[in-house]
PDB file of all heavy atoms in Angstrom:
ATOM      1  N   ALA M 351     163.445 -16.625  16.767  1.00 98.00           N
ATOM      2  CA  ALA M 351     164.738 -16.283  16.169  1.00 98.00           C
ATOM      3  C   ALA M 351     165.848 -16.927  16.993  1.00 98.00           C
ATOM      4  O   ALA M 351     166.795 -17.516  16.447  1.00 98.00           O
ATOM      5  CB  ALA M 351     164.906 -14.766  16.116  1.00 98.00           C
ATOM      6  N   VAL M 352     165.710 -16.857  18.316  1.00 98.00           N
ATOM      7  CA  VAL M 352     166.725 -17.463  19.198  1.00 98.00           C
ATOM      8  C   VAL M 352     166.711 -18.987  19.046  1.00 98.00           C
ATOM      9  O   VAL M 352     167.756 -19.637  19.004  1.00 98.00           O
ATOM     10  CB  VAL M 352     166.470 -17.054  20.667  1.00 98.00           C
ATOM     11  CG1 VAL M 352     167.465 -17.733  21.603  1.00 98.00           C
ATOM     12  CG2 VAL M 352     166.538 -15.529  20.820  1.00 98.00           C
ATOM     13  N   VAL M 353     165.492 -19.540  18.909  1.00 98.00           N
ATOM     14  CA  VAL M 353     165.338 -21.003  18.784  1.00 98.00           C
ATOM     15  C   VAL M 353     166.056 -21.542  17.533  1.00 98.00           C
ATOM     16  O   VAL M 353     166.460 -22.710  17.496  1.00 98.00           O
ATOM     17  CB  VAL M 353     163.830 -21.375  18.784  1.00 98.00           C
ATOM     18  CG1 VAL M 353     163.605 -22.836  18.419  1.00 98.00           C
ATOM     19  CG2 VAL M 353     163.208 -21.081  20.158  1.00 98.00           C
ATOM     20  N   SER M 354     166.265 -20.703  16.539  1.00 98.00           N
ATOM     21  CA  SER M 354     167.007 -21.158  15.347  1.00 98.00           C
ATOM     22  C   SER M 354     168.407 -21.633  15.722  1.00 98.00           C
ATOM     23  O   SER M 354     169.036 -22.371  14.975  1.00 98.00           O
ATOM     24  CB  SER M 354     167.114 -20.019  14.325  1.00 98.00           C
ATOM     25  OG  SER M 354     168.075 -19.060  14.784  1.00 98.00           O
ATOM     26  N   GLY M 355     168.885 -21.198  16.875  1.00 98.00           N
ATOM     27  CA  GLY M 355     170.228 -21.593  17.317  1.00 98.00           C
ATOM     28  C   GLY M 355     171.339 -20.858  16.589  1.00 98.00           C
ATOM     29  O   GLY M 355     172.523 -21.151  16.786  1.00 98.00           O
ATOM     30  N   ALA M 356     170.961 -19.893  15.749  1.00 98.00           N
ATOM     31  CA  ALA M 356     171.963 -19.246  14.908  1.00 98.00           C
ATOM     32  C   ALA M 356     172.157 -17.766  15.238  1.00 98.00           C
ATOM     33  O   ALA M 356     172.792 -17.046  14.471  1.00 98.00           O
ATOM     34  CB  ALA M 356     171.555 -19.392  13.442  1.00 98.00           C
ATOM     35  N   VAL M 357     171.614 -17.321  16.362  1.00 98.00           N
ATOM     36  CA  VAL M 357     171.714 -15.888  16.670  1.00 98.00           C
ATOM     37  C   VAL M 357     172.778 -15.656  17.743  1.00 98.00           C
ATOM     38  O   VAL M 357     172.699 -16.204  18.840  1.00 98.00           O
ATOM     39  CB  VAL M 357     170.337 -15.346  17.136  1.00 98.00           C
ATOM     40  CG1 VAL M 357     170.451 -13.900  17.601  1.00 98.00           C
ATOM     41  CG2 VAL M 357     169.321 -15.457  16.005  1.00 98.00           C
ATOM     42  N   GLU M 358     173.771 -14.846  17.418  1.00 98.00           N
ATOM     43  CA  GLU M 358     174.836 -14.557  18.384  1.00 98.00           C
ATOM     44  C   GLU M 358     174.390 -13.498  19.386  1.00 98.00           C
ATOM     45  O   GLU M 358     174.731 -13.577  20.571  1.00 98.00           O
ATOM     46  CB  GLU M 358     176.105 -14.074  17.652  1.00 98.00           C
ATOM     47  CG  GLU M 358     176.976 -15.191  17.122  1.00 98.00           C
ATOM     48  CD  GLU M 358     176.283 -16.091  16.109  1.00 98.00           C
ATOM     49  OE1 GLU M 358     175.736 -15.562  15.127  1.00 98.00           O
ATOM     50  OE2 GLU M 358     176.278 -17.323  16.305  1.00 98.00           O
ATOM     51  N   ALA M 359     173.655 -12.502  18.898  1.00 98.00           N
ATOM     52  CA  ALA M 359     173.224 -11.434  19.809  1.00 98.00           C
ATOM     53  C   ALA M 359     171.801 -11.018  19.489  1.00 98.00           C
ATOM     54  O   ALA M 359     171.462 -10.781  18.324  1.00 98.00           O
ATOM     55  CB  ALA M 359     174.147 -10.226  19.676  1.00 98.00           C
ATOM     56  N   MET M 360     170.968 -10.970  20.517  1.00 98.00           N
ATOM     57  CA  MET M 360     169.609 -10.418  20.386  1.00 98.00           C
ATOM     58  C   MET M 360     169.637  -9.119  21.186  1.00 98.00           C
ATOM     59  O   MET M 360     169.778  -9.128  22.412  1.00 98.00           O
ATOM     60  CB  MET M 360     168.602 -11.415  20.952  1.00 98.00           C
ATOM     61  CG  MET M 360     167.208 -10.877  21.194  1.00 98.00           C
ATOM     62  SD  MET M 360     166.267 -10.508  19.711  1.00 98.00           S
ATOM     63  CE  MET M 360     165.681 -12.119  19.236  1.00 98.00           C
ATOM     64  N   VAL M 361     169.556  -7.997  20.477  1.00 98.00           N
ATOM     65  CA  VAL M 361     169.734  -6.687  21.093  1.00 98.00           C
ATOM     66  C   VAL M 361     168.392  -5.990  21.197  1.00 98.00           C
ATOM     67  O   VAL M 361     167.715  -5.800  20.186  1.00 98.00           O
ATOM     68  CB  VAL M 361     170.683  -5.822  20.229  1.00 98.00           C
ATOM     69  CG1 VAL M 361     171.054  -4.553  20.967  1.00 98.00           C
ATOM     70  CG2 VAL M 361     171.911  -6.602  19.823  1.00 98.00           C
ATOM     71  N   VAL M 362     167.998  -5.632  22.407  1.00 98.00           N
ATOM     72  CA  VAL M 362     166.656  -5.050  22.584  1.00 98.00           C
ATOM     73  C   VAL M 362     166.744  -3.670  23.235  1.00 98.00           C
ATOM     74  O   VAL M 362     167.644  -3.405  24.026  1.00 98.00           O
ATOM     75  CB  VAL M 362     165.767  -5.979  23.443  1.00 98.00           C
ATOM     76  CG1 VAL M 362     165.663  -7.362  22.811  1.00 98.00           C
ATOM     77  CG2 VAL M 362     166.261  -6.106  24.875  1.00 98.00           C
ATOM     78  N   ASP M 363     165.824  -2.781  22.865  1.00 97.00           N
ATOM     79  CA  ASP M 363     165.773  -1.494  23.576  1.00 97.00           C
ATOM     80  C   ASP M 363     164.471  -1.374  24.365  1.00 97.00           C
ATOM     81  O   ASP M 363     164.431  -1.776  25.526  1.00 97.00           O
ATOM     82  CB  ASP M 363     166.060  -0.294  22.643  1.00 97.00           C
ATOM     83  CG  ASP M 363     165.055  -0.098  21.513  1.00 97.00           C
ATOM     84  OD1 ASP M 363     164.153  -0.940  21.346  1.00 97.00           O
ATOM     85  OD2 ASP M 363     165.166   0.911  20.794  1.00 97.00           O
ATOM     86  N   VAL M 364     163.402  -0.872  23.741  1.00 97.00           N
ATOM     87  CA  VAL M 364     162.153  -0.687  24.485  1.00 97.00           C
ATOM     88  C   VAL M 364     160.955  -1.234  23.702  1.00 97.00           C
ATOM     89  O   VAL M 364     160.958  -1.217  22.480  1.00 97.00           O
ATOM     90  CB  VAL M 364     161.890   0.811  24.793  1.00 97.00           C
ATOM     91  CG1 VAL M 364     162.864   1.341  25.832  1.00 97.00           C
ATOM     92  CG2 VAL M 364     161.956   1.675  23.528  1.00 97.00           C
ATOM     93  N   GLN M 365     159.952  -1.682  24.421  1.00 97.00           N
ATOM     94  CA  GLN M 365     158.615  -2.072  23.922  1.00 97.00           C
ATOM     95  C   GLN M 365     158.583  -3.404  23.158  1.00 97.00           C
ATOM     96  O   GLN M 365     159.417  -3.659  22.313  1.00 97.00           O
ATOM     97  CB  GLN M 365     158.023  -0.968  23.025  1.00 97.00           C
ATOM     98  CG  GLN M 365     157.907   0.383  23.723  1.00 97.00           C
ATOM     99  CD  GLN M 365     157.526   1.500  22.772  1.00 97.00           C
ATOM    100  OE1 GLN M 365     156.907   1.283  21.745  1.00 97.00           O
ATOM    101  NE2 GLN M 365     157.894   2.718  23.130  1.00 97.00           N
ATOM    102  N   CYS M 366     157.548  -4.172  23.498  1.00 98.00           N
ATOM    103  CA  CYS M 366     157.233  -5.440  22.820  1.00 98.00           C
ATOM    104  C   CYS M 366     158.303  -6.518  23.011  1.00 98.00           C
ATOM    105  O   CYS M 366     158.430  -7.436  22.195  1.00 98.00           O
ATOM    106  CB  CYS M 366     156.933  -5.222  21.336  1.00 98.00           C
ATOM    107  SG  CYS M 366     155.520  -4.149  21.094  1.00 98.00           S
ATOM    108  N   ILE M 367     159.071  -6.390  24.089  1.00 98.00           N
ATOM    109  CA  ILE M 367     160.147  -7.348  24.356  1.00 98.00           C
ATOM    110  C   ILE M 367     159.649  -8.373  25.387  1.00 98.00           C
ATOM    111  O   ILE M 367     159.134  -8.000  26.441  1.00 98.00           O
ATOM    112  CB  ILE M 367     161.384  -6.599  24.862  1.00 98.00           C
ATOM    113  CG1 ILE M 367     161.967  -5.785  23.700  1.00 98.00           C
ATOM    114  CG2 ILE M 367     162.434  -7.568  25.417  1.00 98.00           C
ATOM    115  CD1 ILE M 367     162.500  -4.474  24.082  1.00 98.00           C
ATOM    116  N   MET M 368     159.818  -9.626  25.085  1.00 98.00           N
ATOM    117  CA  MET M 368     159.343 -10.665  26.005  1.00 98.00           C
ATOM    118  C   MET M 368     160.394 -10.944  27.068  1.00 98.00           C
ATOM    119  O   MET M 368     161.568 -11.164  26.743  1.00 98.00           O
ATOM    120  CB  MET M 368     159.043 -11.945  25.229  1.00 98.00           C
ATOM    121  CG  MET M 368     157.853 -11.819  24.312  1.00 98.00           C
ATOM    122  SD  MET M 368     157.466 -13.400  23.577  1.00 98.00           S
ATOM    123  CE  MET M 368     156.268 -12.902  22.342  1.00 98.00           C
ATOM    124  N   GLN M 369     159.933 -10.998  28.303  1.00 98.00           N
ATOM    125  CA  GLN M 369     160.866 -11.236  29.403  1.00 98.00           C
ATOM    126  C   GLN M 369     161.457 -12.647  29.333  1.00 98.00           C
ATOM    127  O   GLN M 369     162.462 -12.944  29.967  1.00 98.00           O
ATOM    128  CB  GLN M 369     160.182 -11.006  30.767  1.00 98.00           C
ATOM    129  CG  GLN M 369     161.177 -11.137  31.903  1.00 98.00           C
ATOM    130  CD  GLN M 369     160.741 -10.501  33.197  1.00 98.00           C
ATOM    131  OE1 GLN M 369     159.632  -9.990  33.308  1.00 98.00           O
ATOM    132  NE2 GLN M 369     161.616 -10.538  34.185  1.00 98.00           N
ATOM    133  N   SER M 370     160.824 -13.495  28.558  1.00 98.00           N
ATOM    134  CA  SER M 370     161.296 -14.879  28.439  1.00 98.00           C
ATOM    135  C   SER M 370     162.536 -15.012  27.561  1.00 98.00           C
ATOM    136  O   SER M 370     163.133 -16.095  27.507  1.00 98.00           O
ATOM    137  CB  SER M 370     160.176 -15.725  27.840  1.00 98.00           C
ATOM    138  OG  SER M 370     159.683 -15.087  26.675  1.00 98.00           O
ATOM    139  N   LEU M 371     162.939 -13.957  26.867  1.00 98.00           N
ATOM    140  CA  LEU M 371     164.067 -14.090  25.927  1.00 98.00           C
ATOM    141  C   LEU M 371     165.330 -14.681  26.566  1.00 98.00           C
ATOM    142  O   LEU M 371     165.914 -15.612  26.007  1.00 98.00           O
ATOM    143  CB  LEU M 371     164.394 -12.724  25.287  1.00 98.00           C
ATOM    144  CG  LEU M 371     163.526 -12.297  24.097  1.00 98.00           C
ATOM    145  CD1 LEU M 371     163.912 -10.888  23.663  1.00 98.00           C
ATOM    146  CD2 LEU M 371     163.643 -13.265  22.932  1.00 98.00           C
ATOM    147  N   PRO M 372     165.772 -14.166  27.739  1.00 98.00           N
ATOM    148  CA  PRO M 372     166.993 -14.767  28.316  1.00 98.00           C
ATOM    149  C   PRO M 372     166.791 -16.244  28.667  1.00 98.00           C
ATOM    150  O   PRO M 372     167.717 -17.040  28.557  1.00 98.00           O
ATOM    151  CB  PRO M 372     167.239 -13.933  29.582  1.00 98.00           C
ATOM    152  CG  PRO M 372     166.520 -12.651  29.356  1.00 98.00           C
ATOM    153  CD  PRO M 372     165.323 -12.998  28.512  1.00 98.00           C
ATOM    154  N   LYS M 373     165.593 -16.602  29.074  1.00 98.00           N
ATOM    155  CA  LYS M 373     165.327 -18.005  29.425  1.00 98.00           C
ATOM    156  C   LYS M 373     165.416 -18.895  28.174  1.00 98.00           C
ATOM    157  O   LYS M 373     165.997 -19.978  28.206  1.00 98.00           O
ATOM    158  CB  LYS M 373     163.941 -18.116  30.078  1.00 98.00           C
ATOM    159  CG  LYS M 373     163.687 -19.444  30.730  1.00 98.00           C
ATOM    160  CD  LYS M 373     162.487 -19.378  31.665  1.00 98.00           C
ATOM    161  CE  LYS M 373     161.931 -20.760  31.963  1.00 98.00           C
ATOM    162  NZ  LYS M 373     162.927 -21.690  32.508  1.00 98.00           N
ATOM    163  N   VAL M 374     164.844 -18.416  27.082  1.00 98.00           N
ATOM    164  CA  VAL M 374     164.964 -19.158  25.819  1.00 98.00           C
ATOM    165  C   VAL M 374     166.443 -19.232  25.427  1.00 98.00           C
ATOM    166  O   VAL M 374     166.952 -20.284  25.037  1.00 98.00           O
ATOM    167  CB  VAL M 374     164.138 -18.474  24.702  1.00 98.00           C
ATOM    168  CG1 VAL M 374     164.359 -19.169  23.363  1.00 98.00           C
ATOM    169  CG2 VAL M 374     162.653 -18.479  25.059  1.00 98.00           C
ATOM    170  N   ALA M 375     167.127 -18.105  25.583  1.00 98.00           N
ATOM    171  CA  ALA M 375     168.539 -18.043  25.168  1.00 98.00           C
ATOM    172  C   ALA M 375     169.414 -18.994  25.991  1.00 98.00           C
ATOM    173  O   ALA M 375     170.459 -19.442  25.501  1.00 98.00           O
ATOM    174  CB  ALA M 375     169.047 -16.607  25.291  1.00 98.00           C
TER     175      ALA M 375
END
Side-chain angles (χ1 to χ4, degrees):
V352 177
V353 170
S354 74
V357 174
E358 277 60 53
M360 166 70 80
V361 189
V362 303
D363 63 355
V364 289
Q365 302 171 26
C366 299
I367 290 143
M368 292 186 190
Q369 185 161 4
S370 50
L371 278 176
K373 192 165 161 55
V374 175

